[in-house]
Amino acid sequence: MKNPNFVSPFRLSSLLRREKNPKLALQLFLNPNPTPHPKPFRYPLPSYDLIISKLGRAKMFQEMEQILHQLKQETRFAPEEIIFCNVINFYGRARLPDRALQMFDQIPSFRCKITVKSVNSLLNALLRCREFERMREVLVGIDKFAIPDTCTYNILIHACCVSGSLDGAWKVFDEMLRKGVPSNAVTFGTLISGLCAASKLKEAFRLKEDMVRIFEVKPNAFVYTSLIKGLCKIKELNLAIKLKEEMLDLKIGLDSAVYSTLIGGLFKVGRKEEVLAVLKEMRGNGCKPDTVTYNAMIHGFCTEKDFESACHVLNEMVEGGLNPDIISYNIIIRGYCKAGKLKEANDLFEDLPRRGYAPDVISYRILFDGFIDGMQLGEAAFILDEMIFKGHFPHSGSINKFVDGLYQAGNMDVLWGVLNSLGDKNTWRVLICSVCKKDWLPDLLEIVGH
């Protein structure tokens, strides 16, 4: 009689699909049937795909690579390229460009052919890591694998825009047209976003017209959101609202990004009394305010130094079942610091663990900079010690300002402690030589043991 608890290859895939915990999923994959069985377990390809995806999303890369090694030994089937595209994407999100490149190079060893799909995955991963030179190296040999498609060119245009080279983006677009590669809404959305980021709104609107009139491509939500952000950036709120109305007329779905941008823009031009109407319309259109929306409101109130309203929004989020994120708190801490309310900033910072949040590197940097600006150097030294203990580090400009403030205040003992906690004396000699005034340079060199 067959064991009712026996896990067949087909059932393993089903169980893996339902298991949310990646560690438990890995245990299940490695040992599907604890009871000894005379025949070796024949893992199906979907099981490999599922476990690799779960481990990759959880950034359990060592375990994922072990499964990949096991997959390489399989002779019953050849893996599909999408598995390796996913792995490359996981490495890109984790900012591990070397591993992404290694995975790409290893694809043929799995008896799988490299196509433009994996090339695009690699280019996108390198873009995430801002490895522009390596992207160029991949492009040099792309003809060995595939012909660039629309996705390839979209990634390259995005890379040019991210690196601040709009001229480069236009050159890529021109090449795209010359080679007859069709453009799509992503192509134009990326170019328009780049133009808006560079405050070239006239060119952005002209391109929006051309994409419809010449290329017969309809603008999507991303195109409109980019234009609305660009208009809000230059405080053209009426035109931004007009674009939002155009989206409604064309039945283009408005998401929270559009409304959040408008809310931030209304605060920027002093029209906060209109925010409630925008929120009401947002909910009426079936778009639920999210953390980004509330953070835009918190930022607006903090800019106006209306901290009571900012904290009210924070409480409203919690009461509505939407948890704030650490960004929400960092915005308020930064607002307090800019307003010189360092006690309130420090109290909220220290209250974060009770609220269920751990201060991140941004939290520490905001408070550290606030204490320096307020000349509370002892408190800044305390935060710096805690920051370094947690594995964080302030901006070099903040350190320079802190060191200068300590010396000018004659706090040589604290200054020595700071330099000692930062460790590398040779690094500090270089730093001191580059930023300190010559009249007190000898004193500091003596402190660090010149």
Side-chain angles (χ1 to χ4, degrees):
M1 184 175 177
K2 195 170 184 178
N3 184 351
N5 294 320
F6 175 78
V7 175
S8 66
F10 176 80
R11 188 167 175 237
L12 175 62
S13 297
S14 178
L15 293 172
L16 287 173
R17 193 172 286 107
R18 287 182 291 181
E19 179 56 63
K20 304 297 183 185
N21 187 318
K23 292 183 179 179
L24 294 179
L26 178 61
Q27 292 176 12
L28 175 62
F29 180 89
L30 295 175
N31 195 17
N33 288 304
T35 305
H37 196 271
K39 294 182 180 180
F41 193 86
R42 298 169 71 85
Y43 289 94
L45 181 57
S47 295
Y48 280 105
D49 190 6
L50 285 163
I51 191 61
I52 288 170
S53 295
K54 288 181 181 292
L55 296 173
R57 290 192 194 99
K59 296 185 179 180
M60 297 172 62
F61 295 130
Q62 184 175 351
E63 293 84 351
M64 183 183 74
E65 288 164 7
Q66 290 173 355
I67 301 300
L68 284 167
H69 179 74
Q70 180 177 325
L71 175 60
K72 188 182 286 189
Q73 314 308 314
E74 286 282 0
T75 57
R76 294 174 293 115
F77 49 74
E80 296 176 359
E81 187 182 20
I82 186 62
I83 293 177
F84 307 110
C85 292
N86 289 336
V87 171
I88 290 169
N89 288 330
F90 294 140
Y91 285 140
R93 290 172 195 161
R95 305 298 189 267
L96 296 170
D98 290 337
R99 292 196 186 184
L101 283 161
Q102 289 169 7
M103 183 72 267
F104 179 80
D105 291 337
Q106 290 175 18
I107 291 176
S109 68
F110 287 84
R111 305 169 308 285
C112 180
K113 183 181 178 181
I114 292 177
T115 74
V116 71
K117 291 180 181 178
S118 45
V119 172
N120 290 341
S121 295
L122 178 61
L123 288 172
N124 196 51
L126 294 175
L127 172 57
R128 282 178 176 269
C129 301
R130 302 299 187 257
E131 293 280 354
F132 301 115
E133 188 55 44
R134 285 182 169 182
M135 290 181 71
R136 293 188 189 95
E137 293 171 4
V138 171
L139 289 171
V140 170
I142 193 172
D143 292 340
K144 293 185 293 184
F145 307 112
I147 298 173
D149 62 4
T150 302
C151 182
T152 312
Y153 281 102
N154 287 345
I155 293 168
L156 299 179
I157 290 171
H158 189 194
C160 292
C161 291
V162 167
S163 62
S165 176
L166 277 176
D167 289 341
W170 284 116
K171 286 179 182 177
V172 174
F173 181 64
D174 289 341
E175 181 182 324
M176 193 177 184
L177 298 179
R178 192 170 61 253
K179 292 190 174 181
V181 178
S183 50
N184 59 17
V186 175
T187 313
F188 292 104
T190 305
L191 284 167
I192 288 171
S193 177
L195 289 168
C196 291
S199 298
K200 295 187 176 183
L201 272 296
K202 287 184 180 179
E203 293 92 328
F205 274 96
R206 193 180 305 124
L207 184 57
K208 173 180 172 282
E209 293 175 3
D210 289 345
M211 68 183 288
V212 177
R213 182 172 54 86
I214 300 174
F215 298 95
E216 298 181 348
V217 176
K218 292 182 179 179
N220 59 9
F222 179 66
V223 170
Y224 278 97
T225 303
S226 298
L227 290 168
I228 289 171
K229 284 181 179 179
L231 290 169
C232 288
K233 184 179 176 182
I234 61 173
K235 301 183 179 181
E236 289 285 354
L237 260 294
N238 290 335
L239 287 176
I241 292 170
K242 186 178 177 181
L243 268 188
K244 184 261 296 180
E245 296 298 330
E246 186 178 314
M247 292 180 73
L248 291 172
D249 292 341
L250 295 173
K251 293 183 170 49
I252 297 174
L254 277 77
D255 58 15
S256 64
V258 173
Y259 286 109
S260 301
T261 302
L262 287 173
I263 288 170
L266 288 169
F267 273 108
K268 190 179 290 185
V269 298
R271 291 163 58 177
K272 68 177 181 180
E273 67 278 358
E274 298 177 44
V275 167
L276 289 179
V278 172
L279 281 173
K280 184 178 179 181
E281 178 190 308
M282 184 179 185
R283 293 188 177 100
N285 288 331
C287 185
K288 189 176 180 181
D290 59 11
T291 306
V292 176
T293 311
Y294 283 109
N295 283 350
M297 295 177 64
I298 292 170
H299 182 268
F301 284 123
C302 286
T303 301
E304 295 192 343
K305 299 182 181 179
D306 185 356
F307 299 108
E308 184 178 347
S309 294
C311 292
H312 176 73
V313 172
L314 200 65
N315 294 332
E316 187 180 309
M317 290 175 70
V318 176
E319 290 168 5
L322 183 64
N323 290 326
D325 55 18
I326 190 63
I327 297 172
S328 311
Y329 291 101
N330 286 345
I331 292 170
I332 299 179
I333 293 170
R334 188 188 298 278
Y336 278 138
C337 287
K338 284 187 175 181
K341 295 179 176 290
L342 296 177
K343 182 182 184 304
E344 290 85 346
N346 191 54
D347 287 346
L348 182 55
F349 177 89
E350 292 184 349
D351 197 42
L352 285 176
R354 185 187 65 80
R355 295 171 182 251
Y357 296 88
D360 63 3
V361 62
I362 305 299
S363 313
Y364 279 103
R365 285 176 175 175
I366 291 169
L367 195 58
F368 180 66
D369 290 348
F371 280 137
I372 294 171
D373 292 338
M375 289 305 292
Q376 295 189 18
L377 302 180
E379 288 82 353
F382 179 82
I383 286 294
L384 179 62
D385 282 342
E386 187 176 325
M387 184 190 277
I388 293 171
F389 178 77
K390 294 286 181 66
H392 303 314
F393 201 80
H395 292 298
S396 58
S398 301
I399 283 290
N400 297 348
K401 192 174 181 180
F402 184 42
V403 168
D404 184 66
L406 287 171
Y407 185 83
Q408 297 298 334
N411 284 338
M412 303 307 288
D413 289 341
V414 177
L415 178 56
W416 164 247
V418 169
L419 296 179
N420 190 50
S421 68
L422 291 166
D424 188 346
K425 292 182 180 180
N426 289 326
T427 300
W428 275 102
R429 284 196 190 95
V430 174
L431 175 63
I432 293 167
C433 289
S434 64
V435 302
C436 293
K437 298 178 180 178
K438 291 181 180 179
D439 59 344
W440 55 278
L441 179 58
D443 295 341
L444 272 181
L445 291 176
E446 183 176 348
I447 287 175
V448 296
H450 182 59

